[in-house]
Amino acid sequence: MAAGDTYVQGARVWIPDSVEVWRVAELTRGYKEGDAVLHLRLEDGSALAYPIEFQLPPLCNPDCLSGADDLVTLSYLHEPAVLHSLRRRFLEANAIYTYCGIILVAINPYKPLPIYEEEVIYAYSGHEMGSMDPHIFALAEEAYKQMVRFGKNQSLIISGESGAGKTMSAKYAMRYFTTIGGCLGDSSMEEKVLASSPIMEAFGNAKTTRNDNSSRFGKYIEIGFSQARVTGATIKTYLLEKSRVTFQAKAERNYHIFYQLCASAALPELQGLALRGAESFHYTCQCTAVQSTNDAADLDSTRHAFSLLGVSEADQLELFSILAAILHLGNIMVRGRNRCGDGCFVEHDDEALELFCMLLGVETSQVMRWLCHRKLVTGGETYLKPLSRQQALDARDALAKHMYGQIFRWTVSRVNRALRSLEGHHTSIGILDIYGFEMFEFNSFEQFCINYANEKLQQLFNLHVFKLEQEEYVTEEIPWVFVDFCDNQPCIELIEGRLGILDLLNEECKMPQGSDGSWAQKLYQTHLGSSHFQKPKRPTDAFIVCHFAGKVEYQCDGFVEKNRDTVPEELVGLLRASKSALLTELFLEEGDGPMSLQSRRSSGPRMAGRPSRRSLPGSQKSKKSISSQFKASLNRLMETLGSTTPHYIRCIKPNDGKKPFVFDSRRAVEQLRACGVLETIRISASGYPSRLTYQEFLERYRALVSREELTGAHKKQICSLALERLLQDPSKYQCGKSKVFFRAGQVAYLEELRYRRLRTACILLQRHLRGWLARRRFGRARAAAVCLQRHARGMLARRFARMLQRTRAALTLQKTLRMVLARRSYLRMRQAVITIQAFARGMFARRIYRQMVWHQKAVVIQAAVRGWLARTRYARLRGAVIYLQCCYRRVRACRELRRLRVEARSVEHYKQLQKGMEIKVIQLQCRLDEQAQEKQRLVEQLSGLNAAHAEEVQCLRAEMQRLQEDVARGAQVQQLQEQLAELERHNAESCLSQEVEELKQRLAEVEAMKLQLREERDALAQRMLEQSQDLEEQHQRAARETQGLLQELEEERARYQSLGLEERWQLVPEGPQPSSEVLQDSSVGQEPFEKAYLLLLGQLSAVNEELARTREELRRSKTPMEPEERKPLDFLKRRAMLAWRMEDEGRIIKAIITDYKPQSSPGALPDLPAYILFMCFRYADHCCDELRARSLLDATINAIKRVMKRHSDDFDTVALWLANTCRLLNCLRQYSQDESYWQGNTARQNEHRLRNVDPQSSCCSLGALAVQLYQQLIHTAEKHLKPMIVAAMLESEPIQGLSSSCPPGHRQSSASPAYTLPELLQQLGSFRAVLDRHGLDPSVGHQALRQLLFLVSGTTLNYLLLRKDTCSWSRGIQLRYNISQLEQWLRAEGLQQTGSREVLEPLVQAAQLLQVKKVTEEDAGALCSLCTVLSPQQVVKILRAYTPAVGLEERISPSFISRVERQLQAQYGGESSQLLVDTSHLFPVHLPFTASPLHLDELCIPDALNLAFLVRL
């Protein structure tokens, strides 16, 4: 593709700028080969002729790609594109994280952001990297997932300038791992790992000009995991800046711990340290206060962290005394003896010296001596050399630095000891928080070591990026061509190689007269020929190293001394001989074994003469230089990182003024060049940086594919054919197995082709549409002209006719319009009426249902009474109606009779009718004979039953008499017991033991007889119950036989009705007989067959009367027996309870709780266990055994908890026991002594009330258990719902065709979502069905569904806020449709009035926010009035993440977002709000009281429960 195809008129390019580094310009004239200048127009409208020197300026990416989550997806990969995307995301979207391939670029916002809450941690947990917005939690999740999945160690390499946010990034990553990984074994390990941060910050961080909390050392935190759980951690530190202890630059501070101690000097435990304000000490007086810190509170945090890590208070105070001694050491005044500086001395009464010696337990004279003298050993003789004042001050400062270095080392070792796991770990994740590349005006030894470490890390980074790029091409089977990238191995060899910079420095340090100048000359002689080494033009001892990030000039001053790290051995010997156990441990000599502080304290004080001998060692031991130690530790670090899978975080400092959301492009570019981001871009750009799956390519560029190409067999073939035609040059793209790879700029070219194709299609559509509109407009105009001509020509002749026509037309229009308006009004009114009727009927139906539930038993009684009254009234009315019918039918019969007489004159007719009547008379006569016999048999059977019943009643009365005697005998037994007790009390001192034994034996016999009588009484009661059932069966049998007779009579009547005699037949049954006058009148002219007919009617009436008398006799014979035989049964029923023994408590719990399965008892009540438990509770109440009742309830609660622990993930089981717990709680309330719960009880239920035990405390325990079960129910349902919510609400696309508007720069999954909205609704419906099946109170079920819908709404809104690809107009349409489906489901289930609709309101407003117009000030006001539930932060976050549709919408301007933010702050009063919804929040649950309509004596207990050991009373 030639340059002329891309550098056309209207194309935008980047040109260098002195302020903004790069700025945008637009080509006003297309570029042609050979042109010397480009004609550009700047953003301010000015023209510019840009000279083309070596190469054309870089092109701008399309708007759809700007602001992409991953910089590698940019079509044009170069420095200005990266800088522009970062600036746009940072300033417009307030997005501080951006992917750049495997690098996460983090820009310090200098402002706390609500994106690190625990909800955000769990939101990123379990998701693939790239599926959500860039975040440090996403990178941490990727590392954690790879560690668990592949079992390989991982590492997070965090680098950046001071103040870029490295320490905070490391803390957030640690918090993520400890939160997601949890702890294994030691539950406090998570707290210990997090507690290490404040300790390391106190001892290793300090305020600098660039950062108020700058880490002055590098650290590698290795978090150990076993079974994906945190088991421990280890901290390794690198290159502590010890020079800061004695010297700080202007506006910088010493380490935080010194200021924390000075700020807390007034504490009682620190009174003996003689601390004062920080301005009183030489080492801390440069800068004493920082506005953003509270030193006193920070010391409390440090001490609390020490306590968590197991450091005792005594050790802490001893450590603080050493730190205070360092401060006092800096205040020791060293004075010169003369002006020549030949010697120096320290005053004997120096207060600082005395405090230093007192705190460390060393001799003052020895300290004074060795501060001002140095020991020299030559030829076996020892000399004391006096030091100059400056040399003494340097020795003092060297001792202070060495002491602090040892303290820091000891602190790290104690932290590691507390974090170390005894069982070890299988895998680990390391977090490397190390200094970034540094380049200042004055660069010394520290900067050299820092940049050396960054060179090593950059080499590792380049190799890793190159390896990943190669693996991607190999996986996709793309031909791999070696990409030549900038290897910094020569620079590393210059530093650490043989005769390198470090080698020469160590050699110079070994020379007695070694100096910085001589070392610089050696460097010049050795390395001037190297391409990475230069000598500065200025005549100074300095050198220049060409690092990967640029050239850095190092001043040689101080290199040799800092590398030697010389410490006066005499002073160190004094400290080793100190009385302080901790100080002795800090300065252990080589060869000394490790010894704890406790063992050193227990060894007692040392001898007084010992310090002088140990303070004068014979020879100084060899010691490694600082550079050698750093090189060794760095090599070990490289080996460690090489054995892990690295993940990179590059922290960027946006400005030097620490201003929130201010982006300095020049500073950002410097850091991007230094941290390797641009190197990643260059490596990616040299290959195929833009990659799309075949599905994404077809969805995006479907408009560019021809019809012939769509006939391909599969997607890969279609894409290959299309790309051959579109890009023509095969080197510009490659087709892999699942992706198509593009060279830099090709996606932008495809976007331009797509834009042209869509623009051509739009023009074609507009052309045809405008032509059609013009033709229609012309046709209308022509028809109007013709009509005007016709009317003009006939105006005079047809004026009157035209008026009539217009009038008629007006009437027709009015009629039609009024009809339409009336119909529309009618339909609206009809719809409103139907709606009101539906709601009203529903309300009435629910009200009637509640009334029926509340008054069920009362209604039964009322039904019986009203039935009796209705039957009485009906009988009276029926008699009157029959009488009227008789009168009317008599008139009809007379008429019929006259007609029949006319017909009867025919002889043939008379004969036929007479013949048929004779046959019927014979049949009826036979039937009457049979009924008479049946009646006789029934009378005999009745008499037999009466006799048997009378005999049985006599027997029962005799049994009752015997039972009463037994009761009296029981009273005698009680009297005998009282007599026995009285006898034993009065004759205790006499020798009447024989009589006492006889009385006891008699008492035992009486007790046995009483027990036997009780068993006989129970057997008798059982017999009475069985006999009562037999009598009832006999009565029912007699009633059935009577009913059969009545049915046969009815059949006979039907037969007669079929003969045309319906009127006559209906005059007689069960009604009053017609009067004699009527019969006499009707008998006039009757023929013989009519007489026979009347005779049969009389016989039937007699049979009916006889049957009625028989039924009445049966009723009277049954009535006197019922009270006597049911009296004991009713007495037992009123005591509806289950008798049980204390030892059976475990069996009860096991049968109805532990082993209970509702499937084993089909047809049983869902809350049957609750009723059984309450009946057992009633028995304990009946026995006045409160201890047994409470024991039963405690065992019940514990058993339910055990079942819930075993089946915590089973929604069905949790719902079952929640319903039973609520039912048991309501039963205790319903039958308690509290009258407020008696309102819905019937008289029989009030007889079952508890009499002796107060269930109030039990109700409280059961209420707490019910709330716990409800919460468990919600958690169980959430586990099923959480994996479905995002896929169903955000990723599923019920409206097809809207996803193609998503730009290619945003990552989107081509696979179909795992769940759809119908599946989510089905899951919610199944939850509701389970709750209804187990009989849970509807209001509790409504609360549970409201809580679940809150989870759906909150989770969807959180992911909408965390995923930029979901914030678009098309996604808002999809989301609003899904919400409408949820609302429709709520209406279909009748849940719209339960508060469930309100919890969806934030999601509804978020969907509307994505759809409304966002341009003008009026739009801002409407938007603010719309979003009444969303917080200001949520609204602003959605607006900043909003992605406009390409070619259809404009990007939301920052001014519009600022205007909305100001209006929302004014509306909400500037209240702080949370960005994400707390989905773990549970609404307070209300457990309403619902009285049970069931009578306990009617409860049916299935045999499958194996509760035969319970006796039902």
Side-chain angles (χ1 to χ4, degrees), residues 825-856:
S825 176
Y826 165 73
L827 290 177
R828 284 201 301 269
M829 186 177 299
R830 181 174 177 271
Q831 184 64 29
V833 169
I834 290 174
T835 303
I836 293 173
Q837 286 178 350
F839 281 96
R841 289 170 181 168
M843 180 184 68
F844 293 150
R846 288 189 292 273
R847 185 180 299 169
I848 292 173
Y849 171 73
R850 287 195 297 270
Q851 186 176 3
M852 291 174 63
V853 171
W854 293 341
H855 306 289
Q856 180 181 4

Side-chain angles (χ1 to χ4, degrees), residues 860-891:
V860 173
I861 298 174
Q862 291 175 359
V865 174
R866 290 170 181 169
W868 177 78
L869 294 175
R871 287 191 296 274
T872 305
R873 184 167 60 254
Y874 170 72
R876 290 197 302 269
L877 293 176
R878 186 171 180 274
V881 169
I882 290 175
Y883 178 73
L884 292 175
Q885 288 179 351
C886 290
C887 296
Y888 175 71
R889 291 169 181 169
R890 180 180 63 191
V891 176

Side-chain angles (χ1 to χ4, degrees), residues 199-206 214-217 240 255 404 408:
I199 295 177
M200 301 307 296
E201 289 182 9
F203 285 85
N205 289 25
S214 176
S215 297
R216 307 317 299 164
F217 68 103
L240 176 69
Y255 290 102
Y404 192 80
F408 185 78

